[in-house]
């Protein structure tokens, strides 16, 4: 088979691992492709690289294809999410000054109770909370709006959301430009390492199975290059399966730490991969189940119900029609292309393409192609359940 090179953009984050591992561990080569991995400085630049054809595919924030379909902040190019590259993986951190104030008011930084953490954060905020996120249309932003508004914070009046590229988040906190952040690993841990922040909560405590990054391509490319797309989906799926093995994590951290990828010490990258998080400069540690998931529970499957949730959240805060937004959003998560690519592999995919979001408190078996699939907990912190309109 002749090797075809695909250019793929990524942001230096731990959850870019499936793409990096697909190339480095030979899963791409097994499919007759080579991944020319191009590191981008920010999410806006990566979105534009994909939209304007400078890369064939990209490691992308899950709400970006949805936002593009809704005409929000994009280049007008239709994008498709053909796989979920990672579930969870974000952390919320606060400045040391804010952390000290929260501790003085009795918060224990338990790192697992979103209600307690949110109430403590709101109580310690004098007027406006300045919080950094990597991009306006991101799971970081959606989780924050959902979480803080559910706890009574006046959004957006008392919340000032600022866009900061992930590698610069610690610098922004050190400069006093933000009071808090929500960012993907390892950049929350870097704020801890640099002594400028304390981690308050993992994103998984707000939504325990949030689709964080997707494998995104241009919608027209997905239709015209289905063979290449299938190879790319299979390579990243196999990489995700490898990453899910506990014995793979040390090697994964070493590979990701290389200068051309993340350029961060392997021992820092290992935290999100293992779920053993260091939350403060004093070395406090917390265990986080499913801190970052690449494979288990059909993690790579692009559920149309998750896309609809994102679309309706975006509609609610931008004044769009929620029904139309939900329908447009569903079309961007291409479960059909994902299924087609993995046909003939041993991937056990769910029988449906939509589900109730937030209804599972524990792992349960579900109808699937091979009958072996268990879906894990997917609850929202406040117990709400999202029912898609077209399941």
């Amino acid at each position: 088979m002749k090797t075809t090179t695909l250019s793929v953009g990524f942001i230096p984050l731990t959850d870019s691992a499936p793409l990096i591992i697909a190339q480095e561990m030979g899963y791409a080569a097994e499919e007759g492709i080579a991944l020319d991995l191009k590191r981008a400085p920010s999410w806006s630049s990566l979105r534009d690289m994909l939209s304007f054809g400078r890369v064939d595919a990209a490691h992308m924030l899950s709400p970006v294809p949805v936002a593009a379909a809704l005409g929000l902040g994009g280049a007008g190019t239709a994008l498709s999410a053909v796989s979920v590259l990672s579930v969870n993986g974000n952390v919320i951190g606060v400045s040391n000054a804010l952390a000290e104030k929260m501790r003085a008011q009795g918060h224990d930084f338990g790192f697992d109770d979103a209600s307690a953490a949110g109430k403590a954060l709101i109580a310690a905020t004098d007027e406006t909370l300045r919080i950094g996120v990597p991009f306006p249309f991101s799971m970081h932003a959606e989780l924050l709006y959902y979480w803080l508004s559910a706890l009574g914070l006046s959004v957006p009046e008392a919340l000032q959301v600022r866009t900061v590229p992930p590698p610069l988040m610690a610098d922004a906190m050190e400069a006093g430009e933000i009071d808090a952040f929500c960012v993907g690993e390892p950049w929350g841990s870097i704020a801890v390492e640099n002594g400028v922040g304390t981690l308050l909560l993992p994103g998984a405590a707000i939504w325990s199975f949030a689709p964080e990054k997707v494998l995104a391509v241009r919608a027209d490319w997905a239709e015209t290059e289905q063979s290449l797309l299938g190879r790319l989906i299979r390579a990243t799926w196999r990489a995700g399966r490898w990453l899910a093995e506990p014995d793979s994590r040390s090697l994964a951290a070493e590979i990701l730490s290389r200068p051309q990828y993340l350029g961060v010490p392997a021992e820092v990258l290992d935290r999100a991969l293992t779920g053993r998080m260091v939350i403060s400069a004093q070395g406090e540690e917390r265990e986080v189940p499913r801190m970052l998931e690449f494979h288990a529970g059909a993690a790579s499957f692009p559920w149309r119900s998750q896309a609809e949730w994102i679309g309706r959240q975006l509609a609610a805060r931008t004044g769009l029609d929620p029904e139309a937004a939900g329908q447009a959003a569903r079309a961007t998560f291409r479960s059909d292309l994902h299924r087609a690519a993995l046909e003939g592999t041993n991937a056990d995919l769910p029988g449906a393409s939509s589900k109730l979001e937030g209804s599972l408190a524990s792992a349960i078996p579900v109808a699937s192609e091979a009958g072996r699939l268990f879906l894990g907990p997917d609850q929202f912190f406040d117990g709400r359940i999202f029912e898609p309109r077209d399941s």
Side-chain angles (χ1 to χ4, degrees):
M1 182 187 300
K2 182 181 177 181
T3 299
T4 301
T5 298
L6 297 178
S7 57
V8 183
F10 75 100
I11 295 289
L13 288 155
T14 310
D15 57 30
S16 64
L19 289 166
I20 295 169
I21 293 302
Q23 177 61 23
E24 291 287 345
M25 296 300 292
Y27 297 112
E30 289 177 7
E31 291 291 338
I33 57 176
L35 306 186
D36 179 13
L37 296 167
K38 298 183 180 296
R39 176 170 160 164
S42 68
W43 287 113
S44 58
S45 64
L46 182 52
R47 177 203 59 197
D48 292 346
M49 287 166 64
L50 180 61
S51 296
F52 295 121
R54 291 171 53 200
V55 293
D56 299 309
H59 162 239
M60 186 60 67
L61 297 157
S62 59
V64 167
V66 175
L70 302 185
L72 298 172
T77 303
L79 303 176
S80 295
V82 296
S83 291
V84 173
L85 290 177
S86 61
V87 167
N88 302 334
N90 293 329
V91 289
I92 296 163
V94 297
S95 68
N96 289 333
L98 189 52
E100 185 176 344
K101 187 174 181 181
M102 293 172 69
R103 289 184 193 275
Q105 293 177 352
H107 186 59
D108 64 358
F109 282 79
F111 212 60
D112 59 356
D113 187 335
S115 292
K119 290 173 182 176
L121 178 60
I122 292 169
T125 300
D126 293 326
E127 294 181 2
T128 301
L129 178 65
R130 302 171 304 159
I131 191 160
V133 300
F135 198 63
F137 308 115
S138 61
M139 188 54 66
H140 315 81
E142 298 316 318
L143 290 177
L144 287 174
Y145 287 124
Y146 182 92
W147 174 49
L148 294 175
S149 62
L151 292 174
L153 186 71
S154 179
V155 175
E157 292 83 2
L159 185 65
Q160 188 178 106
V161 177
R162 299 185 176 184
T163 301
V164 182
L168 301 180
M169 202 66 78
D171 294 340
M173 181 161 278
E174 185 173 20
E177 297 170 1
I178 54 176
D179 308 305
F181 58 67
C182 182
V183 71
E185 278 293 282
W187 302 109
S189 288
I190 291 297
V192 172
E193 288 296 294
N194 291 355
V196 300
T198 299
L199 300 186
L200 174 64
L201 204 65
I206 299 171
W207 184 8
S208 61
F209 203 76
E212 176 52 35
K213 303 300 188 310
V214 295
L215 177 61
V217 298
R218 294 181 302 283
D220 57 353
W221 191 90
E223 298 300 335
T224 60
E225 300 290 351
Q226 288 195 24
S227 175
L228 284 174
L229 177 61
R231 295 189 220 174
L232 180 58
I233 290 171
R234 287 190 294 273
T236 55
W237 177 80
R238 290 188 174 105
R241 182 177 60 180
W242 181 86
L243 283 160
E245 295 295 329
D247 292 345
S248 300
R249 291 166 185 165
S250 293
L251 178 55
E254 290 177 15
I255 292 171
L256 295 174
S257 72
R258 294 172 185 171
Q260 70 268 34
Y261 297 135
L262 273 65
V264 170
E267 56 268 27
V268 176
L269 297 173
D270 190 62
R271 296 176 191 176
L273 293 173
T274 62
R276 294 191 293 271
M277 300 297 295
V278 177
I279 70 163
S280 72
Q282 289 70 45
E284 296 171 273
E285 294 187 5
R286 302 288 186 269
E287 292 281 342
V288 184
R290 299 199 308 171
M291 172 68 201
L292 176 58
E293 186 60 69
F294 297 109
H295 183 72
S300 70
F301 189 76
W303 292 95
R304 293 186 185 271
S305 47
Q306 293 178 339
E308 185 177 335
W309 183 87
I310 294 168
R312 288 177 175 272
Q313 292 295 117
L314 288 172
R317 65 183 181 90
T318 58
L320 297 176
D321 176 70
E323 293 292 335
Q327 193 65 26
R330 292 176 63 85
T332 67
F333 272 41
R334 297 296 303 272
S335 50
D336 56 330
L337 295 178
H338 190 80
R339 289 183 193 281
L342 293 176
E343 185 177 358
T345 70
N346 63 354
D348 195 12
L349 301 178
S353 295
S354 286
K355 61 183 176 70
L356 294 176
E357 299 293 341
S359 65
L360 302 182
S362 59
I364 65 165
V366 296
S368 63
E369 295 176 7
R372 304 185 307 268
L373 181 61
F374 281 73
L375 297 183
D378 69 348
Q379 290 181 303
F380 294 98
F381 83 99
D382 56 357
R384 273 188 264 183
I385 295 174
F386 174 74
E387 183 174 359
R389 293 296 187 267
D390 180 15
S391 57

